[in-house]
């Protein structure tokens, strides 16, 4: 997939993966963050989660990190002047810290669950937690058509498999939640509107990207009950 064509399609979308404010409100009910909580939005994309993260604790501060200047630029349009937010162009592998919460929506699969959690341990403050969403088979074992959809991510597992990778990283799971259909729509609806807008004048590279995205959305339409994103809230184990 041509990266420039990908970015043309993804310009000015509100988010870069499934998610909704209700996920972060739910997270707030699972943990107790201190006043002035230090929060990292790791792989923040265009920054859709920054507002709900700031609302998790009085005086909270969010450090939002992404490697992509286009997405970070979008986040800066809303948050660039806000003293409660730092926007950093950088690598999610080394987010700095210490943080009371590392939030990562839809980014951990790029590193692997175990690898990401191990890497982020030194970035957590005492009592700190990680919350991340991860592609997951909700029907397990999955049908072959569904495995085919996720052929590029062979590490994908069922919910128990996510928990096993969390434990292997020396963490324990506090709570999990399946992302809702509304979370998917929050990503796909604006994406589909943008696809429609671009289709007629698309060159070959862009057309290829549009076709790949249309296939992804169709797969979710057909098999979306069998897979999704699992949001896990985890903390390092004392014996980890
Ligand atoms: C699936 S998107 C999710 C973005 C955002 N969390 C959201 O839900 O809208 C993954 C993001 O990870 C970013 N990314 C990819 N590799 C990265 C890296 N090594 N370090 C930081 N960000 C990275 C991409 O630029 C993209 O914004």
């Amino acid at each position: 997939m041509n990266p420039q064509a990908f970015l043309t399609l993804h310009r000015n979308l509100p988010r870069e993966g499934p998610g909704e404010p209700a996920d972060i409100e739910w997270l707030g009910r699972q943990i107790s963050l201190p006043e002035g909580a230090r929060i990292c939005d790791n792989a923040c994309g265009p920054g859709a989660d920054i507002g709900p993260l700031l609302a998790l604790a009085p005086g909270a501060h969010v450090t939002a990190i992404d490697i992509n200047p286009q997405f970070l630029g979008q986040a800066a349009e809303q948050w660039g002047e806000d003293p409660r937010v730092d926007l950093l162009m950088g690598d999610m592998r080394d987010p700095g810290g210490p943080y009371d919460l590392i939030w990562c929506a839809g980014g951990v699969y790029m590193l692997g669950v175990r690898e990401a959690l191990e890497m982020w341990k030194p970035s957590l403050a005492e009592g700190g937690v990680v919350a991340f969403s991860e592609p997951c088979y909700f029907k397990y074992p999955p049908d072959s058509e569904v495995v085919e959809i996720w052929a590029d991510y062979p590490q994908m597992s069922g919910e128990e498999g996510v928990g096993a990778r969390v434990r292997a990283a020396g963490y324990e799971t506090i709570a999990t939640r399946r992302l809702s259909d509304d979370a998917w729509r929050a990503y796909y609806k604006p994406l589909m509107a943008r696809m429609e807008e671009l289709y007629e004048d698309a060159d070959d590279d862009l057309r290829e990207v549009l076709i790949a995205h249309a296939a992804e959305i169709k797969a979710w339409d057909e098999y979306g009950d069998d897979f999704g994103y699992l949001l896990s809230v985890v903390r390092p184990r004392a014996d980890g």
Side-chain angles (χ1 to χ4, degrees), residues 61-73:
H61 181 276
V62 171
T63 302
I65 300 171
D66 203 278
I67 207 162
N68 185 294
Q70 176 173 306
F71 299 147
L72 212 57

Side-chain angles (χ1 to χ4, degrees), residues 2 9-10 41 45 64 75 87 117 121 131 135 137-138 151 153 155 160 171 181 193 197 206 211 231:
N2 178 295
L9 171 58
H10 284 253
D41 185 356
L87 297 170
L117 293 178
K121 242 184 232 178
Y137 295 120
F138 290 153
Y153 190 42
Q155 298 87 340
E160 286 199 6
Y171 285 68
D181 285 351
E197 193 181 294
L206 185 53
I211 289 168
L231 177 57

Side-chain angles (χ1 to χ4, degrees), residues 68-86:
N68 185 294
Q70 176 173 306
F71 299 147
L72 212 57
Q74 253 180 269
E77 282 170 23
Q78 187 173 359
W79 300 106
E81 303 296 321
D82 194 312
R84 299 170 301 168
V85 178
D86 281 331

